[in-house]
Amino acid sequence: VLTRIKADRELRHVPVILLSALDEMDSVVRCILMGAEDYLAKPFNAVLLRARIGACLEKSRLRRQEAAYLEALETERRKSESLLLNVLPAPIADRLKRGETTIVDSLPEVTVMFADLVGFTALASRVASVDVVRLLDEVFSAFDELAAAQGLEKIKTIGDAYMVVGGLPTPRADHAEAVAEAAVGMMAYVEQHPGDYPVPLRLRIGINTGPVIAGVIGRHKFNYDIWGDTVNTASRMESHGLPGRIQVG
């Protein structure tokens, strides 16, 4: 009976006290190892039995509290993990969790892309603020999906500009092609979803390939960012480009 109770998913946590005429130590040890909470030999003392039952119920209550506490901790850990992965690339988050306090990488070749919504400033001055935020959220969420489909790393948004990189934190040979595919997809998305706005939206994209330095800065609000001439040139490719066009360094 004890074996079947402890094998049952719904019953295994029910505390069991065994009463038996068998009082050999081997019997007691065997039952305790099988999961019994306690063991009393017959004839038993009723007062002692009630005390043992009370103690078993209290231990069971404490175990339930502990299980609920551990479950809550695990839920919070998963939430923290999810938030961390929304801020940092998974390999970088893993390095932080392993105890690295300073994360700096020199990458010999990545591809950086800046995408800017042309005319957005003029549009923002003519529509309600809630519509401005809704528009940005819609467009950048679509960009997030296009970047994720190509395995790219979104670095940040800067106002109405979107920055993404291919080839980091894990190097890959096809980083330039992946960024180009995402750029074409982003351009097509904006052209196919102009929206009913007083100022037409168009996209301007700049891309450049080269070495960068990447790392995590901050302690309370982590920020994974990249620096170097490659980044500056990619930004210039965008700012000096033409609306509706992708300019490549």
Side-chain angles (χ1 to χ4, degrees):
V1 171
L2 180 61
T3 300
R4 292 181 62 181
I5 288 175
K6 293 305 177 181
D8 189 299
R9 183 179 295 274
E10 294 184 359
L11 299 178
R12 66 178 57 167
H13 299 299
V14 175
V16 175
I17 297 176
L18 282 171
L19 304 177
S20 175
L22 297 173
D23 60 354
E24 297 93 345
M25 183 58 66
D26 288 346
S27 298
V28 176
V29 171
R30 186 169 70 253
C31 291
I32 296 298
L33 291 176
M34 289 170 62
E37 288 288 329
D38 212 335
Y39 187 107
L40 290 179
K42 295 179 180 178
F44 62 87
N45 181 291
V47 175
L48 178 60
L49 177 59
R50 282 196 295 271
R52 296 287 179 88
I53 290 174
C56 286
L57 291 175
E58 177 63 14
K59 284 194 290 185
S60 179
R61 183 186 67 81
L62 292 174
R63 277 197 294 267
R64 287 195 301 271
Q65 282 185 344
E66 181 186 31
Y69 177 69
L70 292 175
E71 184 178 354
L73 280 179
E74 178 60 21
T75 300
E76 291 303 315
R77 187 196 66 78
R78 286 195 295 266
K79 286 181 181 178
S80 298
E81 183 94 1
S82 177
L83 287 172
L84 190 61
L85 292 177
N86 276 333
V87 176
L88 302 173
I92 302 301
D94 289 339
R95 289 167 64 181
L96 278 175
K97 287 187 291 183
R98 288 197 300 267
E100 288 190 49
T101 55
T102 303
I103 295 180
V104 180
D105 296 317
S106 294
L107 298 150
E109 188 175 274
V110 303
T111 298
V112 183
M113 179 184 77
F114 284 88
D116 185 72
L117 291 170
V118 182
F120 185 82
T121 301
L123 174 64
S125 65
R126 298 176 61 177
V127 299
S129 56
V130 65
D131 292 327
V132 171
V133 175
R134 186 180 294 118
L135 170 62
L136 275 180
D137 180 62
E138 178 184 335
V139 173
F140 286 167
S141 293
F143 287 4
D144 285 345
E145 292 182 6
L146 291 167
Q150 295 296 331
L152 307 178
E153 192 63 44
K154 173 186 175 182
I155 300 299
K156 56 189 170 183
T157 58
I158 312 161
D160 58 349
Y162 186 95
M163 180 184 180
V164 70
V165 182
L168 63 73
T170 303
R172 53 186 288 192
D174 64 340
H175 53 84
E177 290 90 336
V179 171
E181 289 283 356
V184 171
M186 292 174 184
M187 192 68 72
Y189 174 84
V190 172
E191 291 175 352
Q192 294 167 12
H193 299 78
D196 185 18
Y197 299 109
V199 177
L201 275 184
R202 302 189 72 187
L203 193 63
R204 186 173 59 217
I205 294 179
I207 298 175
N208 191 50
T209 295
V212 298
I213 296 172
V216 176
I217 56 176
R219 287 294 178 268
H220 300 293
K221 291 185 178 181
F222 293 118
N223 182 32
Y224 183 70
D225 210 343
I226 60 174
W227 304 270
D229 188 62
T230 300
V231 180
N232 298 333
T233 303
S235 178
R236 299 301 181 274
M237 289 296 102
E238 178 273 308
S239 61
H240 290 74
L242 298 174
R245 295 288 184 266
I246 301 170
Q247 179 153 264
V248 181

